[in-house]
Amino acid sequence: MCGIVGYIGDQRAEPILIDGLKKLEYRGYDSAGVAFIDDGAFHVVRAKGKLSCLIDKLKNMGSHSTIGIGHTRWATHGKPDEINAHPHHSRDVVLVHNGIIENYNTLKSEMIKKGHKIISETDTEVICHLIQDHLDQDMPFLKALISSLKKLNGAYSLVILNRNNPDHIYLARKGSPLVVGLGEGGNFVASDIPALLAHTRDVTFVEDNEIAVVSRERALFYNLSGDPVNKEIKKITWTASQAEKGGYKHFMLKEIMEQPRVLADTLLGRVDLEGLSVNLGEAGALLETMVREPEFRLKIVACGTSWHAGLVGKYWIEDLAKVLVGVELSSEFRYRQPLVTPKTLVVAISQSGETADTLAAIRESKRLGARVLSICNVVESSIPRESDATIYTHAGPEIGVASTKAFTTQMAVLYMLAIKLALEKNLLSDHEASQKIQALIEMPKLIEKTLGDLKPIMRMTERLRNKKHCYYIGRGIEYPIVLEGALKLKEISYIHAEGFAGGELKHGPIALIEEKVPVIAVVLKGQLYDKMVSNILEVKSRGAMVLALVNAEDKDIQSHFDEILHIPYADPDLNPFLTIIPLQLLAYYVAVDRGTDVDQPRNLAKSVTVE
Ligand code: AGP
């Protein structure tokens, strides 16, 4: 997610802005910029790459202004280069933006038709010209701002300067965090608390559908009807390190908790209940051209957690779109003379977009004439750059080595891809498509609910204390989920953890079951419920301690379980979005209990850029 800072006071703004942006570097970014009002003119300096590049530029182009804004950009629309870096400006308006404007294409065409020159690929620049367009109709600034905000669909936090008014910074928020720091001799603005702590701990949060006008002396808040809103000043007690993690102890927990919001961001602008459509941009066009080929098939290549997402995607795509899907580990695929042809669409899934094995796999695929679609979280990273099309997951930077929010957003993209293919092949009626799209839109709320129940997680954490082995069992679409749950536990707690298909136990793994060995079972209502219950009774009769994830009341059966965690009932297709949540949380709390380095576990890197 991008970083925002702003300052107005009696000191030079430049060093304050740069220091604030440095405090937000941990969030990940690929370009940065600042803007000031200098004697009635905008002074905008931007640079691709790290803050040091911006600082170098400022050495010759600095400003003595006491009002300014700054931004570190995590690219979502448009390449990570200087022209797309924030701040963006029109004649009288300069601003920085976090969030995604869903209808920016429509607004962009409108502004261009009215003669506005828009030079970047970003949704942000359109906002400048939209406000400018209202100002050009002689509207007072606040009214121009409010009228513009009412035309924006999507999420935004905006920090704005008006060239004709160097005594105020304007703020607007809908869905993306924004906070005002109230200081001595000046006031501060940021997307995140760490940027403020060096100056003040007295803050006021901008809420959704509010605007604010910040002067050297005070901050005034209004709703979108222009009515004043009274706000409470809060005292921040976090340390700087806690603040970087949003108050959470580790990035991993912060990223687990972010999943409802980032999943909603992944869906934004892509699923439309009215139009019953799935809009995947350039990737959609590629799918539309290929899906009609008689031997069209998919080959998913990925590693680790991304490979598990691919396994889940296979169930959906084959079930809904009747397209044959192979899922391969990139490290295997790249060395085995794979069978891909120009009729194969290779789907590379990668959070980092830099995984060497997956990059090699797509190069081999292209050499063999296949088209490549990547599902990635980092804009313009190596894998998207070498793909024919990319669908970005919009999960924001994932700092913890153990992948969590990337996994759920990868699954969301794969589910949308399955619906898109099924619609293209007329295999889904309007009613079925509407039901599936609605169920997907409901997921962030149900994940929120699942995140709220930590008591059973704490009980299960106790149960796993001092255990050396832990087994996970699941069937059907929950099989890849138990593989992912086992990977989470092993990679951060260092417990030996393995996932098995329930039906596979009798083919060997059940030999591992002995007294008190923990078995985590995902046993959900549906056609495989009875079979999972008998698997559980098999391991129970051999002394296993059973920790079960369930989504129904079944008192007699559940009397055999040692711990039970209930997840909300949902469309069976979409259970993976819910069952993975407790497994992520369990891995996290067990690792904390063991005192391992949760965010940077031993021997692991966040991005495996070597073989
Ligand atoms: C997952 O928790 C691990 N960090 C690891 O398996 C990771 O998923 C794998 O290295 C693939 O990374 P990528 O998604 O960036 O390609």
Side-chain angles (χ1 to χ4, degrees), residues 365-382:
S365 303
K366 295 187 78 157
R367 191 185 65 78
L368 296 168
R371 308 293 293 278
V372 174
L373 165 64
S374 52
I375 297 174
C376 189
N377 194 39
V378 182
V379 174
E380 288 296 305
S381 49
S382 303

Side-chain angles (χ1 to χ4, degrees), residues 290 295-299 323-325 339 343-346:
M290 294 190 73
E295 304 109 67
F296 172 63
R297 61 195 53 204
L298 291 188
K299 177 70 80 176
V323 170
L324 197 60
V325 181
L339 267 184
K343 301 278 194 323
T344 310
L345 178 62
V346 171

Side-chain angles (χ1 to χ4, degrees), residues 303-306 349-355 358 383 401-404 410 484 487-488 491 604-608:
C303 304
T305 288
S306 298
I349 306 174
S350 175
Q351 187 285 129
S352 62
E354 299 297 346
T355 299
T358 304
I383 290 170
V401 165
S403 194
T404 51
Q410 286 166 351
E484 173 59 11
L487 174 61
K488 290 281 96 49
E491 70 174 330
L604 294 177
K606 181 59 189 168
S607 174
V608 185

Side-chain angles (χ1 to χ4, degrees), residues 188-245:
F188 307 80
V189 178
S191 51
D192 212 344
I193 296 227
L196 303 174
L197 288 183
H199 309 287
T200 178
R201 288 180 175 272
D202 294 332
V203 302
T204 305
F205 293 93
V206 188
E207 302 299 340
D208 279 359
N209 298 315
E210 279 183 358
I211 58 176
V213 182
V214 182
S215 65
R216 287 172 177 78
E217 300 73 28
R218 69 182 68 79
L220 300 175
F221 294 79
Y222 306 87
N223 62 25
L224 293 189
S225 310
D227 307 326
V229 176
N230 291 326
K231 303 290 281 185
E232 197 189 329
I233 296 175
K234 298 219 173 15
K235 180 72 81 177
I236 297 297
T237 55
W238 294 338
T239 63
S241 161
Q242 283 172 324
E244 278 189 2
K245 302 176 185 81

Side-chain angles (χ1 to χ4, degrees), residues 21-41:
L21 292 178
K22 280 180 181 169
K23 298 288 193 307
L24 300 181
E25 281 197 287
Y26 69 90
R27 301 163 65 109
Y29 65 101
D30 39 49
S31 61
V34 287
F36 311 94
I37 300 179
D38 269 328
D39 310 329

